[in-house]
Amino acid sequence: MLKPKPTQGDTTWFIHDRFGMFIHWGLYALPSRHEWVQSQEQIPPEDYYRYFERFNPTKYDPRRWAKAAREAGMKYVVLTSKHHEGFCLWDSAYTDYKVTNTPYGQDLIAPFVEAFRAEGLRIGFYYSLLDWHHPDFLIDVFHPLRNHPDVARLNEGRDMKRYAEYMRNQVRELITQFDPDILWCDFSYPGRDYHGLPGKGRDDWESEELYALIRELKPHIILNNRMDLPVAADIYTPEQVQPLEWVKVDGEPVVWEACQTFSGSWGYFRDELSWKDEGQLIRMLINTVARGGNLLMNVGPTSHGTFDQRALDALAVYRDWMALHSESIYGCTQSEYQEPQDCRLTQNGDKLYIHVYAWPFKHLMVPELAGKVSYARFLHDGSEVALKPTEWSASQLQIGDHVLVLELPMKQPDVVVPVIELALT
Ligand code: GLC
């Protein structure tokens, strides 16, 4: 079996658990048209303030979120403690731009952590390196004020060194107050100059100091790869793409986690129509694990603090499928066996799982495995799948005698993606 490059962060549980929930929540839930709305519409801070003044998620009950995540089969959660807009969901001592100063008036993160831990999930925080609110953050290509006629003057006196220290202070707070298992810093863009405004990377974030601080506070925390400091990366994070192969860095397979959305944006977006269907949702999870990766699937809660019905429906797709098939996900990884036509394989020791994407007529041909399987069954109902005798298969189907033939029911079982478990001898 392929093994990823070892990590300093403790990724043992992570690789086993495979499936997590991403949550993007902030002031952008009010406009409900993308978490980048402030940048996309170039909304100056004084106008964006109208969302801060109205942030009041009175229906927020993280126990409901945690229950939905656990029922969907998710084993960990990563919450945006601060996104690019700069608004903080906890009672940080280093800013006034935080939830406790909104009409809601209470910290959101402590109850969140408690609720998810109570459901048995591990906790991680997303922390934005960008900050469109902080007065020391130099205006750049993504900043809402990038096209301001006086941008040079607005940038005078801004001091990224002070901002880098602010980030270290906040990260220290998050780690010491909530003891997260994952820290997900986002993101770097050193080459992105815009009309003389430079992009930002490790020198601006002071990534080396930030990294040293994080490791000092919690040596085995899992860190992602977006602070422009290769040494810091435990996990690699392809975003809104489905890698066809195990993700490699310098030719070596690494621990990786694809992050994906239900509908395109991360923050709640009322008018978005591109919600993925149930087949896509389930296949994304399988495709990821079949290439040795994790899936971090995102929900963008509303400004009330609720998951909207479309998100609940999508989570129910995972819930229903995982209730019957989680054995082919947890503890599983890419198999070295060749995939049958229209199938994906995952493997956990001597158990091989065939995920059938297009239901074939009567027989499923599995290369290499003739004589190597003692028993086959469906995961959804535990019913046996018959193995055809090798000689019969070879003569009837004109295939090599290394090919194992499984006899299937005529109709696809009534699950989004059926899974056949093979016990290898
Ligand atoms: C991007 C976006 C951001 C989102 C993140 C998730 O970097 O800036 O909005 O939070 O990806 O991976």
Side-chain angles (χ1 to χ4, degrees):
M1 295 288 225
L2 219 54
K3 282 230 173 348
K5 192 173 125 191
T7 55
Q8 165 150 9
D10 173 14
T11 49
T12 324
W13 66 268
F14 183 82
I15 287 172
H16 176 272
D17 287 355
R18 289 301 186 207
F19 191 25
M21 177 182 277
F22 216 171
I23 299 184
H24 276 67
W25 202 32
L27 300 180
Y28 43 81
L30 280 92
S32 310
R33 48 181 194 273
H34 207 279
E35 77 284 355
W36 274 64
V37 62
Q38 189 182 3
S39 170
Q40 288 169 346
E41 299 179 11
Q42 301 182 39
I43 307 175
E46 58 278 17
D47 290 351
Y48 200 72
Y49 199 68
R50 67 178 177 274
Y51 305 125
F52 181 82
E53 289 172 318
R54 291 177 174 81
F55 188 80
N56 195 12
T58 50
K59 299 198 170 77
Y60 175 58
D61 180 355
R63 289 169 304 185
R64 297 178 73 168
W65 297 6
K67 183 162 174 278
R70 199 245 312 135
E71 287 178 351
M74 293 155 162
K75 296 284 195 182
Y76 61 99
V77 63
V78 178
L79 169 70
T80 52
S81 55
K82 175 190 92 160
H83 203 262
H84 309 334
E85 63 182 5
F87 176 69
C88 296
L89 300 191
W90 79 104
D91 189 16
S92 173
Y94 300 96
T95 182
D96 292 331
Y97 204 50
K98 57 182 174 182
V99 63
T100 42
N101 292 334
T102 66
Y104 188 67
Q106 303 163 55
D107 165 41
L108 294 169
I109 293 198
F112 176 92
V113 167
E114 194 187 322
F116 277 81
R117 290 210 167 118
E119 291 285 356
L121 279 83
R122 300 214 186 217
I123 307 296
F125 294 124
Y126 170 108
Y127 182 83
S128 173
L129 301 167
L130 288 71
D131 195 314
W132 300 326
H133 180 269
H134 197 283
D136 280 317
F137 188 91
L138 276 172
I139 296 167
D140 62 19
V141 56
F142 300 124
H143 198 283
L145 298 176
R146 61 191 172 275
N147 291 320
H148 192 286
D150 279 334
V151 68
R153 187 182 49 81
L154 294 182
N155 262 341
E156 273 169 25
R158 289 182 183 242
D159 180 351
M160 284 299 289
K161 292 204 134 338
R162 277 199 304 251
Y163 175 67
E165 191 185 342
Y166 171 75
M167 290 204 289
R168 288 193 293 274
N169 285 331
Q170 290 207 315
V171 162
R172 185 185 300 107
E173 280 185 326
L174 287 170
I175 295 178
T176 53
Q177 290 179 24
F178 306 112
D179 194 28
D181 291 299
I182 302 173
L183 192 65
W184 222 98
C185 295
D186 193 38
F187 66 89
S188 304
Y189 44 105
R192 294 292 299 272
D193 289 17
Y194 181 74
H195 301 308
L197 305 171
K200 292 188 176 65
R202 71 185 83 161
D203 295 338
D204 308 282
W205 318 134
E206 300 184 0
S207 296
E208 293 193 17
E209 273 187 67
L210 182 59
Y211 173 66
L213 171 75
I214 297 166
R215 286 287 188 227
E216 179 196 317
L217 294 169
K218 188 154 180 171
H220 300 297
I221 196 167
I222 297 177
L223 287 173
N224 70 340
N225 63 329
R226 296 189 181 186
M227 56 164 97
D228 188 26
L229 191 67
V231 70
D234 293 316
I235 61 172
Y236 290 80
T237 56
E239 168 178 336
Q240 310 236 34
V241 289
Q242 182 76 78
L244 297 178
E245 291 184 7
W246 194 311
V247 174
K248 296 193 181 69
V249 175
D250 301 328
E252 238 192 308
V254 291
V255 179
W256 67 279
E257 175 193 65
C259 48
Q260 308 281 9
T261 60
F262 287 147
S263 63
S265 78
W266 303 89
Y268 178 63
F269 196 136
R270 183 192 58 206
D271 298 339
E272 208 160 46
L273 296 174
S274 54
W275 289 71
K276 295 173 180 73
D277 67 34
E278 56 175 17
Q280 286 175 306
L281 295 175
I282 298 301
R283 288 192 304 269
M284 284 165 87
L285 174 60
I286 297 165
N287 286 341
T288 306
V289 179
R291 298 298 176 260
N294 280 36
L295 175 63
L296 187 62
M297 190 41 107
N298 181 73
V299 180
T302 68
S303 61
H304 288 325
T306 53
F307 289 178
D308 92 324
Q309 194 54 47
R310 294 167 296 182
L312 290 171
D313 291 346
L315 288 168
V317 171
Y318 284 117
R319 179 197 64 203
D320 294 347
W321 190 83
M322 284 294 279
L324 301 172
H325 300 98
S326 65
E327 282 155 276
S328 73
I329 300 296
Y330 302 140
C332 290
T333 187
Q334 175 171 309
S335 170
E336 276 165 21
Y337 290 106
Q338 202 185 316
E339 282 170 344
Q341 184 172 299
D342 301 325
C343 294
R344 294 288 183 281
L345 293 179
T346 64
Q347 190 169 346
N348 184 359
D350 60 3
K351 292 283 165 35
L352 185 66
Y353 298 99
I354 308 178
H355 304 78
V356 188
Y357 281 6
W359 199 247
F361 171 61
K362 236 156 97 183
H363 300 115
L364 184 72
M365 268 68 97
V366 192
E368 304 173 79
L369 285 176
K372 294 189 181 152
V373 171
S374 59
Y375 194 75
R377 60 172 189 148
F378 282 115
L379 280 189
H380 68 278
D381 66 353
S383 63
E384 183 177 16
V385 177
L387 310 175
K388 275 285 185 192
T390 309
E391 316 76 60
W392 180 92
S393 309
S395 67
Q396 287 289 306
L397 294 164
Q398 305 206 331
I399 48 174
D401 57 12
H402 63 286
V403 180
L404 169 74
V405 176
L406 303 172
E407 192 162 84
L408 300 181
M410 193 60 68
K411 280 176 69 84
Q412 173 178 329
D414 190 18
V415 290
V416 183
V417 176
V419 182
I420 300 166
E421 178 195 74
L422 303 183
L424 301 174
T425 52

